Amino acid sequence: DQQVKQNSPSLSVQEGRISILNCDYTNSMFDYFLWYKKYPAEGPTFLISISSIKDKNEDGRFTVFLNKSAKHLSLHIVPSQPGDSAVYFCAASVITGNQFYFGTGTSLTVIP
Amino acid sequence: ETGVTQTPRHLVMGMTNKKSLKCEQHLGHNAMYWYKQSAKKPLELMFVYNFKEQTENNSVPSRFSPECPNSSHLFLHLHTLQPEDSALYLCASSPGLEETQYFGPGTRLLVL
């Protein structure tokens, strides 16, 4: 059973606009969440994280929002740039656990 | 070399071959991981090592055999694989088990 889901396999956004990538999870014990970005032929690169004691974390153009009651997190990229075109994975874990659970990824294309 | 490196980057093998994947991390981390990435599936955790000791084996078939001689090196020995084992195999490391993981570029494996 997939505990972390990214229901949109792809997303296209115009350059300069906001990109919103969504992620849902089923395990209410998860308390640490991350977003990774992956370019073709490269491994995933850590982007931003959030722990369950917060509902928002911001780093430059990237903001992650966590809605614990809805078991939902989202990544906002604003303004979107062509270099942001990549596959974005969300991941979740119990902070005391060994394992991160990954979603299937959303492929973002930013159109110049 | 910096970060997490993996060799080879691409591998084609027959079902009767024996091959090994190598991962090396130059980050001073204590935990290392093997993941499998199949098309349209979430990243699947295979093995976890912490201070050279295996702490997790996610029901991986015995045709995959990990080895961790020290905290900087991780191997995945492959023998009598099946075509469905064709995937991208990613290595990752983290300072400790609950911390952000840093990924290598992966080995693209094709089993014929």
Side-chain angles (χ1 to χ4, degrees), chain A:
Chain A
D1 183 36
Q2 209 172 312
Q3 300 194 50
V4 178
K5 296 178 184 177
Q6 292 176 258
N7 292 317
S8 297
S10 63
L11 174 68
S12 289
V13 170
Q14 206 72 34
E15 181 179 4
R17 307 294 287 267
I18 185 170
S19 296
I20 301 177
L21 297 104
N22 294 304
C23 181
D24 297 292
Y25 61 95
T26 56
N27 188 343
S28 57
M29 298 297 292
F30 287 149
D31 53 12
Y32 186 55
F33 306 88
L34 306 94
W35 284 94
Y36 282 87
K37 177 179 177 180
K38 185 180 184 304
Y39 292 116
E42 294 183 17
T45 305
F46 169 72
L47 194 57
I48 193 168
S49 65
I50 189 167
S51 73
S52 59
I53 60 171
K54 296 176 124 181
D55 54 19
K56 177 182 171 181
N57 190 24
E58 197 169 347
D59 183 2
R61 297 185 296 113
F62 301 91
T63 304
V64 56
F65 294 92
L66 175 62
N67 182 333
K68 291 185 284 294
S69 59
K71 297 194 187 72
H72 177 84
L73 69 155
S74 60
L75 175 68
H76 292 211
I77 306 172
V78 56
S80 301
Q81 299 174 355
D84 297 328
S85 297
V87 177
Y88 290 78
F89 293 93
C90 67
S93 79
V94 177
I95 203 160
T96 55
N98 279 358
Q99 185 167 345
F100 283 92
Y101 296 85
F102 286 81
T104 50
T106 296
S107 178
L108 172 66
T109 301
V110 179
I111 304 162

Side-chain angles (χ1 to χ4, degrees), chain B residues 44-111:
Chain B
E44 300 172 53
L45 180 67
M46 300 174 74
F47 301 104
V48 180
Y49 278 82
N50 192 36
F51 291 98
K52 304 189 299 177
E53 299 297 320
Q54 187 177 127
T55 60
E56 192 93 26
N57 175 338
N58 239 12
S59 304
V60 180
S62 59
R63 57 187 185 269
F64 295 91
S65 173
E67 179 191 359
C68 188
N70 55 61
S71 291
S72 299
H73 293 86
L74 186 64
F75 294 90
L76 188 63
H77 303 299
L78 316 170
H79 62 99
T80 59
L81 294 192
Q82 305 298 311
E84 59 265 29
D85 296 322
S86 299
L88 179 69
Y89 289 84
L90 288 161
C91 172
S93 70
S94 62
L97 283 176
E98 301 89 22
E99 299 183 66
T100 302
Q101 296 174 23
Y102 295 82
F103 286 83
T107 295
R108 176 73 61 187
L109 174 67
L110 178 62
V111 181

